[in-house]
Every structure is written in structure tokens, then in C-alpha cells.
Amino acid sequence: MKTLMLHIPGRPPLPLEGEDRVWTLGRSSLNDLAIPDASLSRFHARISLQDGALCLEDLGSLNGTTLNGERITVPHSLGEGDELQLGQVALWLGPLAQGPRVRIGPDTGDSSSAGSLVLPLERLRAAPDRRREAPETLHLREVIREIEALSLELLEDSPPEQLLAHLLDRLWTLLKPWRAAVLIQDRTGLQTVASRGPEGDQPIVLARSLVDAALERKESVLFNDVGEDPGLASPSLLQSGVTSAMVTPLEHQGVVKGLLYLDSRAPRKPFHEEDLRLASTFAHLATAKLEQARLREEALARKKVDQELDLARRIQQDLLPGFPPDIPGFELYGNNLPSRQVSGDLFGWWLRSDGKWLFCLADVSGKGLGPGLLMASLQATLEAWTERDLSTSELAFQLSRNLARHADGRRFVTAFLALLDPATGTLTYTNAGHNPALLLHGTEPIQELEAQGLPLAMLPGQPYGEATLSLAPGDLLVVYTDGITEAANAAEEEFGSEALTALVAARRHESLPALDAALLGELDRFTAGAPYLDDRTLLMLRRS
């Protein structure tokens, strides 16, 4: 049985545990649990634990014992959550709670007695009557009021410059310095956001050691005898008559945004440690808001970029082909799974005027929007050049020159271009620096169709080779991008071309969609939740 606790007002819970235990409750000190309340009888009730079962019994008390609102006259079993009432004392059974239970009971009288203080909220927030308060109390009230005002401002969506200016105003009111300034650190250095001081005075010149203390070492510094510590004071500060100064970093969670500076001179008394603590607290609150605003701006910027990339992804997906065409005697299938919103891979098929089909699978180097735009340019070019009836080698040559004009010199495209004559089953192909395509031909070993030139746009003007083969019934061509073979698990082990070849060989007779699903399932099993770092694109052609 789980140990239950008897929760008693004003004292620690009592564990009800042991073997054949009995606890008496009442007003007398002779009880196991003495509760000095006038509503209880001297021996009021008894709780027993026998064979793991708890039982409550009234001992003939004057004001009675109730269990869950019902007065009892005979023993009753107890369980977790039961509420007991002994006279006017409420107890309950349950696990060890983190805090007292809260209940709403009946009214016991007028709450506005002589010992009560009842103030309307407006009066409580109003400025105190300075004629009736001690100076220390008045200062404390001012601090609380300014912290409340600053805290409320932190909830608003105010510009950072306005927030820091108000921070300075509140400290100006509370600490009454001679001069004060807030400086923010950006890429160009420290910039003054707000400052206060008498008109016509010279600029505030801070010693480099004082600035480094705040920005580099995250230290708050207070010095009350400027002449005794010239290392922290600039010559102009020594000559200005300043007798006390302090600086504290604008810091939140280890990030320093800038610094807060205040100084004073006679007749104001020098700053003390509590002044420094107050200034540091205000600076920390303001910096937390600045960091929150920065994170919010970054989140909004990321959301906007994500929306734009999502739009680009939808546009790009519309550029890819839909269902494969019906080519008598052949099965065709393609699929693209981007690792990000925008893919740098391309696959497609185009029917030429001579009745031949042009196939392409390409992979733009790099990731993100740039490769995606170059891929879109390649797709548009292939679409426009379908009617040119070029050989695959000539097409690769022309594409390389065209893409080089649009690339930045650091982008290139690996591509596998193939031209199928459905009437004869003849396939002519050019591999421009791409992964070797896999050809499964009868019972022969799987043939790898190696590269016949450099990637497109790498060295425009370089010629490309081509090769011709004849597809027999049952022959299968598998073209893929390295996002498949280089998919890695958490141990950074790659899936590899051997695993791909083995899977394709084992499932070569399945339908092409089923073969693709099996490959994707095997990739997910191998990576075991590790993220895919590159796009996965597949193009397959089989003669029926």
C-alpha cells in the first residue's frame, strides 16, 4: 500500500505507515496527534492502520467527526483524497504535497476590522504623502514605483532607443546623478543612445579601462575617490569635479549589449553599493527586453525567409514533371525529395519532334536558394531547346556554355542526359561529371555508366562524349544523385553505392514506384533519424 500523508493545518504532514498502528487525535497532549483547538474534544477521533487498510473512528466527540462532508458514528475506511473534519479543524489524506491546499470557506465576519488595512488599488498606486513617511521609506517606495513602471514598459512593444531613454530617466529620478549615459555596442563600436546632464558641459569622456571592465570582463565598477584611482578615470573626468562615478554593463545571459554610466559631484553624496545594485538591476531588465526584441526580430525575419522559400519550393515543384508519360513498351518513373525547402536537383522528360524522348537528371553544387535558381534556369533551357534535336553530347556542350554565363564561377552542375528512341529501344547518353548510372541488363553484372566529361559550367567550351546502348526487355536504367549514396547515419557512415546497387539488384523486377519506396525505406532505416543533408532524386527507365 502506498503511504498516505495526513495533512494538518500549520504543521508538517504526518505519514500514516507502520504495522497495526493507531493514532489518536484530540485537544489533550496525551493524544498521538494533539491539536490545540477549542472545537475538538480532549480525545476526539482515532485513525488505525491494520493489514494495510486505514480506518477512521469518532471517539464520542462533542462537535463530531465528518468524512467527505458526512458525519460518521461508526468506523469508516480511508483512502487518498478523503477530507476529514474534526470539530472545525479540516484535515485531508493524500501524497506529500508541494504546498498547502486552498479552499474557499464560509464568511467568518467583517473583513474590515480594526486590524485590517483596506485600500483601493488607485490609492495604493498613488504617490505617498511625503509629509508622513520617513526618508528611507519614501526612497524605497520610489524604487518600487520606478521598477513597476519599467516592468510595465518592458511588456510594451517600444523601440529600443525609447526604452533605454526611459531607463535613464528613471535612474535620473531615483539616483539624482550629475550626468548619465547609455551606450550600445554595434559593429562600428560604442554608440551613445541617450545621455543626461547640465547644458553646456563638456562631453563625457570614459577611460578605456572603465569601458573594458564593463564590456570585456562584465564588471560593475563604483569609485568614490576619482583622484585615488586615476586608472579608471579620464583626465577630463578628473578635471570636471566628479567625486563619484559608476558603470555597469547592459548584460543578459552572458550577452553584453553596452554599458550604463552615471557620475555625481558635490553637493550630492557619493554613490554607494546599493545605488550600484539598483543601476545594475535596471540595466539587466532593459537588456533582457533588448535581447527579447532582437530574438523576436530574428524570428520574424526567419519566418519571412521561410515563407519566401516555401513559395520558391512550390514554384520549383511545379517545374518538375507530374505523372510519367505513357511510352509504349517502357516504364518511366522519377522522384525528388529536397533536404531543404528548395532543391538543387532536377529530373525531367521531354518529347522531341522526331519522336525521341529526352531524359535528364541533374544536381547543382551547393544547397539553398542559389542552386535552386540555377536549377530553374537549367529546366527552362531544356524546355526551350527540346525542338533543337541535338545529340546528348552537343546538348551538354551548349548547356555548359549557357549555364556558365549565369553561374558565379563557383557553381557547376553534374548531369546525366539520355535520348531514347522508343521504336528501336536505342538509348544514347552523356554523363557530365555525374554519379555512374546503373544499367541492369539481363543476367550480366550491373554496368556503371561512367562520366564522359566535366560537370556543366565548370570549364565551358570543353567537348563531351556520348555512348549508345540497346535496351532489351527487362533492362533497367537507374540514375540517382549523391544525396542517396551519401545519406549518413549518426555515426557519419554513408549509405554508399554498394548498398544501392545491392538493393536495386534484389528488387529489379518490382514496379518502379515500389522500388523507389523500398529504397526510401531502407535509407530511413539506415539513417535512423539523422537528418538528410542533400537532396535525394531518382530517375528510372525500364523496357517492358
Side-chain angles (χ1 to χ4, degrees):
M1 172 184 172
K2 180 175 66 174
T3 299
L4 294 179
M5 313 293 290
L6 180 63
H7 295 265
I8 310 126
R11 65 179 67 186
L14 173 68
L16 300 178
E17 56 186 358
E19 295 182 1
D20 299 330
R21 289 290 308 274
V22 175
W23 297 269
T24 58
L25 300 85
R27 192 176 71 249
S28 171
S29 60
L30 299 177
N31 287 282
D32 299 288
L33 183 58
I35 305 176
D37 188 283
S39 66
L40 270 65
S41 298
R42 294 183 66 251
F43 298 94
H44 195 103
R46 177 169 55 208
I47 295 177
S48 59
L49 175 61
Q50 293 182 353
D51 299 327
L54 285 169
C55 180
L56 172 67
E57 179 182 4
D58 182 74
L59 298 178
S61 64
L62 178 64
N63 293 319
T65 299
T66 62
L67 175 61
N68 298 323
E70 296 290 332
R71 186 160 182 168
I72 63 171
T73 56
V74 295
H76 279 67
S77 61
L78 292 175
E80 182 176 347
D82 282 346
E83 296 182 353
L84 291 62
Q85 183 87 17
L86 279 59
Q88 295 183 7
V89 178
L91 305 92
W92 68 284
L93 283 174
L96 182 61
Q98 298 300 317
R101 290 176 40 147
V102 179
R103 299 177 57 190
I104 307 299
D107 291 336
T108 57
D110 186 4
S111 61
S112 57
S113 62
S116 303
L117 175 63
V118 180
L119 291 175
L121 189 59
E122 294 78 7
R123 181 180 170 188
L124 189 62
R125 291 178 176 173
D129 187 351
R130 295 178 177 273
R131 296 170 299 178
R132 300 181 179 180
E133 300 281 3
E136 296 79 7
T137 305
L138 284 173
H139 180 68
L140 178 60
R141 289 186 183 276
E142 283 186 315
V143 171
I144 295 174
R145 188 169 63 252
E146 294 298 336
I147 290 178
E148 179 187 27
L150 181 62
S151 300
L152 291 174
E153 188 172 353
L154 294 178
L155 299 176
E156 300 176 358
D157 191 15
S158 55
E161 295 79 7
Q162 177 181 324
L163 174 67
L164 293 173
H166 289 177
L167 163 70
L168 212 57
D169 290 338
R170 302 192 191 291
L171 288 173
W172 187 267
T173 301
L174 289 172
L175 300 180
K176 298 176 176 56
W178 180 48
R179 298 179 304 182
V182 176
L183 292 85
I184 290 294
Q185 188 171 225
D186 60 18
R187 296 175 183 176
T188 61
L190 277 175
Q191 307 295 331
T192 303
V193 178
S195 62
R196 302 288 184 270
E199 295 183 4
D201 281 296
Q202 295 295 321
I204 301 172
V205 180
L206 302 180
R208 170 50 59 182
S209 57
L210 194 62
V211 173
D212 290 344
L215 301 184
E216 303 297 332
R217 300 191 298 275
K218 304 175 186 177
E219 296 174 345
S220 296
V221 180
L222 165 65
F223 53 101
N224 282 325
D225 195 336
V226 176
E228 291 295 326
D229 199 349
L232 294 175
S234 63
S236 63
L237 196 64
L238 292 168
Q239 297 169 8
S240 64
V242 167
T243 57
S244 182
M246 57 183 173
V247 64
T248 188
L250 298 175
E251 180 272 341
H252 177 66
Q253 294 184 346
V255 178
V256 177
K257 296 289 186 179
L259 62 85
L260 168 68
Y261 171 82
L262 301 100
D263 63 27
S264 67
R265 65 179 184 178
R268 192 212 186 278
K269 294 181 179 180
F271 295 127
H272 49 75
E273 183 178 343
E274 290 306 314
D275 294 332
L276 183 62
R277 290 183 181 276
L278 179 62
S280 179
T281 299
F282 272 52
H284 180 74
L285 288 173
T287 311
K289 176 63 176 182
L290 293 178
E291 185 66 7
Q292 181 189 55
R294 182 189 67 82
L295 293 175
R296 179 172 176 269
E297 289 178 0
E298 288 184 354
L300 291 174
R302 284 195 302 269
K303 183 178 180 180
K304 184 177 180 180
V305 171
D306 288 342
Q307 290 173 340
E308 293 174 349
L309 289 175
D310 188 59
L311 176 61
R313 180 190 61 80
R314 292 198 300 270
I315 294 174
Q316 187 183 60
Q317 289 297 312
D318 290 340
L319 295 176
L320 295 175
F323 291 106
D326 184 13
I327 304 176
F330 291 87
E331 296 176 64
L332 181 63
Y333 180 85
N335 190 21
N336 166 254
L337 292 174
S339 62
R340 302 186 180 185
Q341 289 100 324
V342 180
S343 173
D345 287 359
L346 163 72
F347 76 91
W349 40 72
W350 298 267
L351 177 62
R352 301 201 323 184
S353 59
D354 58 3
K356 297 179 180 180
W357 283 91
L358 172 66
F359 305 112
C360 176
L361 186 143
D363 183 2
V364 181
S365 63
K367 301 176 181 65
L369 191 57
L373 292 173
L374 193 58
M375 185 280 284
S377 174
L378 173 60
Q379 194 276 344
T381 303
L382 285 168
E383 190 81 33
W385 287 2
T386 301
E387 299 301 322
R388 292 194 177 189
D389 293 347
L390 300 172
S391 66
T392 55
S393 59
E394 181 63 21
L395 179 59
F397 178 81
Q398 296 294 344
L399 286 173
S400 182
R401 294 178 59 182
N402 183 72
L403 289 173
R405 291 195 292 268
H406 300 288
D408 55 7
R410 293 173 296 178
R411 302 284 185 195
F412 55 88
V413 182
T414 66
F416 188 92
L417 299 164
L419 196 60
L420 172 69
D421 185 350
T424 63
T426 300
L427 184 80
T428 303
Y429 70 90
T430 294
N431 186 334
H434 197 73
N435 303 312
L438 304 178
L439 178 63
L440 288 77
H441 180 68
T443 58
E444 297 179 8
I446 294 179
Q447 181 181 352
E448 294 187 345
L449 307 184
E450 300 285 351
Q452 299 147 312
L454 297 172
L456 305 178
M458 180 172 284
L459 286 177
Q462 291 290 315
Y464 288 87
E466 66 179 26
T468 301
L469 53 88
S470 180
L471 294 177
D475 286 358
L476 174 64
L477 176 68
V478 178
V479 192
Y480 59 93
T481 59
D482 55 13
I484 292 177
T485 53
E486 294 179 2
N489 56 23
E492 299 185 355
E493 299 169 334
E494 294 186 350
F495 184 70
S497 58
E498 292 183 1
L500 172 63
T501 302
L503 184 142
V504 170
R507 297 177 176 267
R508 60 178 297 176
H509 299 297
E510 296 183 11
S511 68
L512 299 187
L515 179 54
D516 177 50
L519 173 59
L520 295 179
E522 185 63 19
L523 282 175
D524 286 343
R525 185 201 63 78
F526 177 80
T527 56
Y532 291 101
L533 302 180
D534 203 357
D535 310 322
R536 290 157 289 156
T537 307
L538 192 67
L539 179 63
M540 295 184 287
L541 174 69
R542 177 163 57 196
R543 187 165 187 178
S544 303

